[in-house]
């Protein structure tokens, strides 16, 4: 069946979902359940979300966290962050608090200029094009009057229009390079509308407009965030050594593109999270930031560090074209919530807050890398994700979190610990509870079949009795167990591990022993007698030790531990637990 469809966008939401389920899911009821559980019960709110993009079938949740304790230009902030990666919010929070007692973040907006371009082809004389542009430049401004009037009232608008010759790169290729100030608006729609109006006015028979579009590369829409303190105020066992390693790590990112990409990704962890929370375009921010990192011709670090005269300084300069009005910031309830949480900042202030968040995340990553290693903290935070992946209960989460408090977290270690918790608890047999032993064994008969092994029921009982006689001193086994083997084997007795199926000491014959007694009942009585003797002989001599044929020399407590494991093993053999 073909999955190519026409008119899908005209389907209702339910029809779209129904078509997807029929064509792509084997368990359509389960898939429908997943889709519907993310619908908002508030129909009006759900409709708002449905209208953000096309062909919406459900919502995709992302965690909304907050990072408190930020001090930026002497003002306190709690910063909203939306992302799926563990440890980012926690790291930002810790760094925010760290620098709050060391002067906080100092931020400055260097510029807010944004850029749009009209790309066109012209095959005539360059002098004629220059003259045409100069003669019509005023008219180009005028062509946008109806679009720019409201922006100009807020102090924004078109700053300049320049003719740029790019024919050395591409034959007949020119640009109109236009700069804008959009104040608190990100301004994408405003800029593109202005560009189209200017292009329409500028175009003529020998000027072919290729396209008109804003640029997400905004090197003049720039913000700086910085932290600094005396080196000794960095704390730790050796602040000077830490500062030097930190400085070296930043320098490596400045000269090594492979490192710089990951270095800057860490910065964007902090930046994108706040950009998303405030309803801004994180993809545009990402593109502009990475282009800025490559402006020298080599991809390099967005952050920088110096150590001079005993002062540690760490800063970032990054282009951030943001808005606090219009677009999703005005529509999405959580975007509005975020901006209110940030005390209703202007676009300039939001630039500074977001730059500080990026610098904080970079500081956290570099501090971890140059001290304990990045995985130490990251995996601690990732622990809950691993536990959720395996549907850990509240009790399991509490126990495992406590277990890894001072241990290194790894996926395999967490899974192993979880498996150990979920491993069925062994019902150890109390071999000195004579009444229970007698009752359990008396349920056996000649017809009882073993779950494993070759012994019949009476042979198993007589075997337990025979091994007990070794401890009692009534059966001397001529077996030597070296000290090396004893040292290696005896620790097993202190564990919660069971004797494995198929375990057989060397003194045990391959074939089951011949029966000693005429009935199971007599064999049980003999076993109980041997157990009573076991207690008696060790009571008479508390320092008594007897060599076990596999584990070596054992005292009373060690023999008891062995007997518990041995009885449990054989009770399982006949399903008596």
């Amino acid at each position: 069946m073909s999955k190519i469809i026409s008119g899908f966008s005209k389907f209702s939401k339910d029809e779209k979902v129904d078509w997807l389920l029929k064509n792509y899911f084997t368990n359509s009821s389960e898939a429908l359940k997943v889709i519907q559980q993310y619908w908002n019960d508030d129909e009006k709110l759900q409709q708002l979300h449905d209208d953000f993009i096309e062909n919406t079938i459900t919502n995709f949740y992302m965690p909304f966290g907050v990072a408190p304790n930020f001090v930026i230009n002497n003002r306190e902030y709690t910063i909203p962050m939306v992302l799926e990666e563990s440890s980012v919010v926690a790291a930002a929070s810790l760094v925010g608090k760290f620098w709050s007692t060391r002067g906080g973040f100092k931020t400055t907006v260097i510029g807010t200029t944004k850029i749009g371009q009209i790309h066109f082809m012209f095959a005539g004389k360059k002098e004629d094009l220059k003259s045409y542009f100069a003669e019509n430049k005023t008219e180009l401004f005028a062509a946008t009057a109806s679009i720019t009037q409201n922006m100009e009232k807020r102090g924004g608008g078109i700053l300049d229009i320049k003719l740029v010759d790019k024919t050395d790169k591409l034959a007949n290729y020119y640009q109109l390079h236009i700069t804008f100030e959009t104040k608190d608006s990100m301004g994408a729609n405003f800029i593109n509308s202005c560009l189209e109006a200017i292009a329409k006015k500028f175009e003529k028979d020998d000027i072919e407009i290729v396209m008109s579009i804003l640029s997400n590369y905004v090197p003049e829409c720039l913000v700086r965030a910085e932290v600094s303190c005396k080196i000794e105020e960095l704390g730790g066992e050796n602040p000077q050594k830490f500062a030097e390693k930190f400085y070296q790590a930043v320098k490596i990112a400045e000269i090594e593109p492979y490192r710089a990409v990951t270095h800057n990704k860490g910065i964007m962890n902090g930046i994108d999270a706040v950009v998303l929370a405030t309803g801004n375009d994180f993809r545009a921010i990402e593109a502009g930031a990475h282009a800025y990192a490559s402006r020298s011709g080599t991809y390099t670090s967005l952050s920088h560090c110096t150590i001079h005269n005993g002062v540690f300084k760490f800063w970032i300069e990054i282009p951030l074209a943001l808005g606090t009005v219009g677009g999703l910031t005005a529509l999405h309830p959580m975007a509005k919530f975020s901006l209110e949480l940030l005390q209703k900042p202007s676009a300039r202030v939001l630039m500074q807050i977001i730059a500080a968040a990026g610098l904080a995340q970079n500081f956290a990553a570099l501090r971890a890398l140059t001290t304990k290693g990045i995985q130490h903290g990251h995996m601690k935070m990732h622990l809950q994700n691993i536990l959720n992946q395996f549907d850990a209960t509240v009790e399991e989460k509490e126990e495992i979190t406590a277990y890894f408090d001072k241990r290194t977290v790894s996926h395999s270690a967490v899974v192993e610990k979880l498996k150990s918790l979920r491993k069925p608890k062994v019902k150890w047999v109390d071999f000195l509870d004579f009444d229970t032993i007698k009752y359990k064994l008396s349920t056996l008969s000649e017809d009882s079949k073993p779950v494993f092994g070759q012994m019949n029921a009476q042979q198993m009982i007589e075997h337990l009795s025979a091994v007990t006689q070794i401890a009692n001193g009534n059966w001397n086994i001529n077996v030597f167990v070296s000290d090396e083997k004893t040292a290696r084997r005896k620790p097993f007795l202190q564990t919660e591990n069971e004797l494995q199926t198929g375990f057989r000491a060397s003194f045990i014959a391959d074939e089951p022993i011949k029966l000693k007694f005429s009935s199971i009942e007599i064999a049980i009585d003999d076993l109980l007698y041997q157990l009573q003797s076991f207690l008696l002989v060790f009571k008479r001599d508390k320092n008594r030790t007897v060599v076990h044929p596999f584990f070596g020399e054992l005292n009373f407590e060690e023999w008891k531990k062995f007997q518990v494991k041995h009885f449990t093993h054989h009770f399982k053999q006949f399903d008596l637990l």
Side-chain angles (χ1 to χ4, degrees), residues 138-163:
T138 301
E139 295 299 319
L140 299 180
F141 276 98
T144 65
S146 61
I147 303 170
T148 60
Q149 58 181 353
N150 289 330
M151 183 66 74
E152 289 171 352
K153 289 177 183 178
R154 301 200 300 270
I158 300 174
L159 301 178
D160 195 11
I161 305 174
K162 293 180 180 179
L163 175 65

Side-chain angles (χ1 to χ4, degrees), residues 38-55:
Y38 286 97
W39 288 354
N40 199 295
D41 291 337
D42 185 330
E43 292 185 7
K44 186 176 180 180
L45 182 59
Q46 182 57 57
Q47 187 60 53
L48 175 67
H49 283 71
D50 288 350
D51 291 342
F52 285 157
I53 62 169
E54 307 76 33
N55 295 339

Side-chain angles (χ1 to χ4, degrees), residues 260-554:
V261 170
T262 308
H263 178 96
N264 290 343
K265 186 268 181 185
I267 293 172
M268 302 313 291
N269 276 346
I271 288 177
D272 286 350
V274 193
V275 171
L276 268 171
T278 56
N280 277 278
D281 186 349
F282 77 93
R283 298 162 305 280
I285 297 299
E286 280 273 352
H290 295 301
Y292 189 75
S294 303
R295 66 192 184 281
S296 67
T298 300
Y299 190 89
T300 187
S301 168
L302 288 165
S303 62
H304 308 279
C305 179
T306 59
I307 302 173
H308 187 64
N309 291 334
V311 175
F312 171 88
K313 183 183 291 186
F314 182 50
W315 75 94
I316 187 173
E317 286 186 4
I318 188 168
L320 294 174
L322 302 166
T324 57
V325 298
L328 206 61
T329 58
L331 290 174
H332 201 297
M334 289 305 297
K336 290 189 284 187
F337 175 92
S338 295
L339 291 172
E340 187 167 352
L341 175 63
L342 292 172
Q343 304 162 70
K344 299 181 179 179
S346 65
R348 290 175 65 91
V349 173
L350 184 59
M351 287 171 68
Q352 296 171 75
I353 293 170
I354 292 179
L359 188 65
Q361 187 58 33
N362 195 211
F363 181 86
L366 290 174
R367 181 169 64 175
L369 280 168
T370 55
T371 54
K372 295 180 179 180
I374 197 70
Q375 286 301 91
H376 179 81
H378 179 75
M379 290 305 294
K380 286 278 187 182
M381 297 301 170
H382 191 51
L383 175 60
Q384 297 305 314
N385 288 344
I386 300 173
L387 294 175
N388 288 333
Q389 180 183 346
F390 289 91
D391 297 319
T393 65
V394 173
E395 293 76 16
E396 288 172 335
K397 287 181 178 179
E398 288 177 353
E399 184 165 347
I400 291 177
T401 300
Y403 177 80
F404 282 104
D405 182 47
K406 297 186 186 310
R407 292 177 172 87
T408 300
V409 177
S410 69
H411 188 278
S412 59
V414 174
V415 172
E416 190 64 30
K417 181 62 178 175
L418 191 57
K419 284 182 178 179
S420 71
L421 292 182
R422 291 176 173 179
K423 186 177 181 180
K425 299 297 182 183
V426 180
K427 294 181 180 179
W428 296 110
V429 173
D430 181 359
F431 72 103
L432 296 177
D433 181 355
F434 300 148
D435 290 338
T436 299
I437 294 296
K438 183 174 182 178
Y439 169 74
K440 290 283 188 179
L441 293 177
S442 65
T443 63
L444 298 174
S445 68
E446 294 180 0
D447 298 325
S448 297
K449 301 296 182 183
V451 176
F452 58 85
Q454 301 179 46
M455 291 182 182
N456 62 35
Q458 186 172 333
Q459 286 170 331
M460 180 271 290
I461 296 168
E462 293 186 10
H463 168 71
L464 291 174
S465 179
V467 174
T468 304
Q469 289 180 57
I470 298 175
N472 297 348
N474 297 329
W475 183 19
N476 294 317
I477 302 296
N478 187 23
V479 175
F480 172 74
V481 183
S482 68
D483 291 342
E484 183 270 329
K485 289 182 178 179
T486 297
R488 189 172 70 246
R489 294 170 177 176
K490 274 177 66 172
F492 170 80
L493 299 176
Q494 308 301 326
T495 71
E496 289 296 306
N497 298 328
E498 300 178 72
L499 294 174
Q500 295 299 307
T501 301
F503 171 80
R504 183 177 61 82
S506 59
F507 71 95
I508 301 295
D510 292 337
E511 298 297 326
I513 60 174
K514 292 182 180 181
L515 294 177
K516 180 178 179 180
F517 301 104
S518 59
S519 68
I520 286 180
E521 290 74 20
I522 298 174
I524 293 172
D525 289 339
D526 177 68
L527 173 59
L528 294 173
Y529 170 76
Q530 297 300 335
L531 292 175
Q532 290 167 345
S533 299
F534 174 80
L535 291 176
L536 184 61
V537 294
F538 279 102
K539 184 177 182 181
R540 288 173 181 167
D541 182 1
K542 294 181 180 179
N543 295 320
R544 172 187 174 86
T545 61
V546 181
V547 174
H548 184 282
F550 182 80
F551 292 102
E553 193 170 357
L554 304 181

Side-chain angles (χ1 to χ4, degrees), residues 14-294:
D14 287 338
E15 288 171 336
K16 290 171 184 172
V17 170
D18 184 59
W19 183 84
L20 288 172
L21 296 178
K22 287 179 178 178
N23 283 276
Y24 289 96
F25 295 90
T26 53
N27 190 339
S28 58
S29 60
E30 186 63 28
L32 179 61
K33 181 180 177 182
V34 172
I35 289 172
Q36 291 180 337
Q37 70 184 358
Y38 286 97
W39 288 354
N40 199 295
D41 291 337
D42 185 330
E43 292 185 7
K44 186 176 180 180
L45 182 59
Q46 182 57 57
Q47 187 60 53
L48 175 67
H49 283 71
D50 288 350
D51 291 342
F52 285 157
I53 62 169
E54 307 76 33
N55 295 339
T56 305
I57 62 166
T58 192
N59 305 312
F60 187 96
Y61 291 176
M62 293 276 278
F64 183 105
V66 294
N69 301 317
F70 272 79
V71 176
I72 304 171
N73 293 341
N74 300 317
R75 189 173 186 181
E76 296 172 356
Y77 290 93
T78 292
I79 299 180
M81 304 181 80
V82 173
L83 79 166
E84 86 298 341
E85 184 173 337
S86 58
S87 82
V88 172
V89 177
S93 301
L94 288 171
V95 172
K97 189 173 184 180
F98 178 87
W99 285 107
S100 70
T101 59
R102 294 165 174 81
F105 293 82
K106 304 301 180 185
T107 59
T108 306
V109 173
I110 299 172
T112 56
T113 300
K114 296 168 186 173
I115 295 167
Q117 293 175 319
I118 297 170
H119 306 270
F120 67 94
M121 310 302 287
F122 176 74
K125 294 180 180 180
K126 293 183 180 182
E127 292 74 16
D128 292 345
L129 180 62
K130 290 177 182 178
S131 297
Y132 175 72
F133 171 73
E135 291 168 3
N136 289 276
K137 186 173 181 179
T138 301
E139 295 299 319
L140 299 180
F141 276 98
T144 65
S146 61
I147 303 170
T148 60
Q149 58 181 353
N150 289 330
M151 183 66 74
E152 289 171 352
K153 289 177 183 178
R154 301 200 300 270
I158 300 174
L159 301 178
D160 195 11
I161 305 174
K162 293 180 180 179
L163 175 65
V164 180
D165 183 349
K166 289 281 185 175
T167 55
D168 60 328
K169 303 290 185 183
L170 179 64
N172 304 328
Y173 169 43
Y174 296 85
Q175 299 172 356
L176 291 184
H177 188 88
I178 306 169
T179 50
F180 296 84
E181 170 59 61
T182 61
K183 305 305 288 183
D184 288 338
S185 170
M186 193 278 171
N189 290 330
F190 167 76
I191 292 173
N192 286 334
S193 295
C194 288
L195 293 174
E196 289 179 2
I198 293 170
K200 186 176 181 180
K201 182 67 177 177
F202 188 68
E203 188 173 27
K204 62 174 185 171
D205 289 344
D206 54 355
I207 293 177
E208 179 188 358
I209 304 296
V210 178
M211 56 185 169
S212 305
I213 186 70
L214 65 78
S215 174
N216 290 128
Y217 182 42
V218 284
E220 296 176 42
C221 187
L222 201 63
V223 59
R224 177 188 173 101
E226 176 185 304
V227 289
S228 64
C229 68
K230 294 180 180 178
I231 290 175
E232 59 263 28
E233 294 175 355
L234 289 169
E237 295 180 2
N238 191 334
Q240 181 68 39
K241 181 64 175 176
F242 165 72
E244 290 172 359
K245 285 189 70 177
F246 192 102
Y247 170 81
Q248 289 165 350
V250 175
K251 287 299 177 184
I252 289 170
E254 288 179 350
I255 65 169
E256 173 50 63
Y258 283 91
R259 170 61 197 139
V261 170
T262 308
H263 178 96
N264 290 343
K265 186 268 181 185
I267 293 172
M268 302 313 291
N269 276 346
I271 288 177
D272 286 350
V274 193
V275 171
L276 268 171
T278 56
N280 277 278
D281 186 349
F282 77 93
R283 298 162 305 280
I285 297 299
E286 280 273 352
H290 295 301
Y292 189 75
S294 303

